[in-house]
Amino acid sequence: MKKARAWLETHGVDYASHDYKALGIDAATLKRWVDLAGWEKVLNRNGTTFRKLAESDRADLDADKAIRLMAANPSMIKRPVIEGGPELILGFNPE
């Protein structure tokens, strides 16, 4: 997140930040992100929070189940999520 913010500021890009880990995230926003990018890209399966889930929660994932998991555990959302227009950028890559 620090690198993404620094890049945006260095390049003069105005942005608004929403800390969904602290403030939460609504299911409608998650659904929009999943519709744009696919739940497989929005859900961070490499993080500790996901790996600590019971096997039954990690099994048989689909879009609806992934949205429920991310709404209940915002730490499972890949960061940063950058919205701007019709496309969604997940994660940070300076290129």
Side-chain angles (χ1 to χ4, degrees):
M1 293 296 299
K2 287 181 186 180
K3 289 179 182 180
R5 284 189 188 115
W7 188 95
L8 291 169
E9 289 166 7
T10 299
H11 290 83
V13 178
D14 289 333
Y15 67 93
S17 180
H18 175 81
D19 185 353
Y20 46 80
K21 287 175 75 173
L23 302 172
I25 188 90
D26 60 276
T29 299
L30 287 169
K31 179 163 179 9
R32 185 175 72 249
W33 291 352
V34 165
D35 288 346
L36 285 169
W39 68 266
E40 299 91 342
K41 291 184 180 176
V42 179
L43 179 66
N44 180 9
R45 291 189 259 188
N46 295 324
T48 305
T49 304
F50 183 80
R51 290 191 315 245
K52 286 184 177 180
L53 286 176
E55 179 59 36
S56 60
D57 288 332
R58 290 183 286 158
D60 301 320
L61 283 173
D62 62 14
D64 291 334
K65 187 174 183 179
I67 289 169
R68 285 193 306 274
L69 286 172
M70 290 184 286
N73 303 284
S75 294
M76 284 192 251
I77 302 168
K78 193 168 287 181
R79 295 178 299 146
V81 176
I82 301 172
E83 286 187 278
E87 95 178 66
L88 190 69
I89 299 170
L90 298 158
F92 176 71
N93 181 338
E95 286 79 42

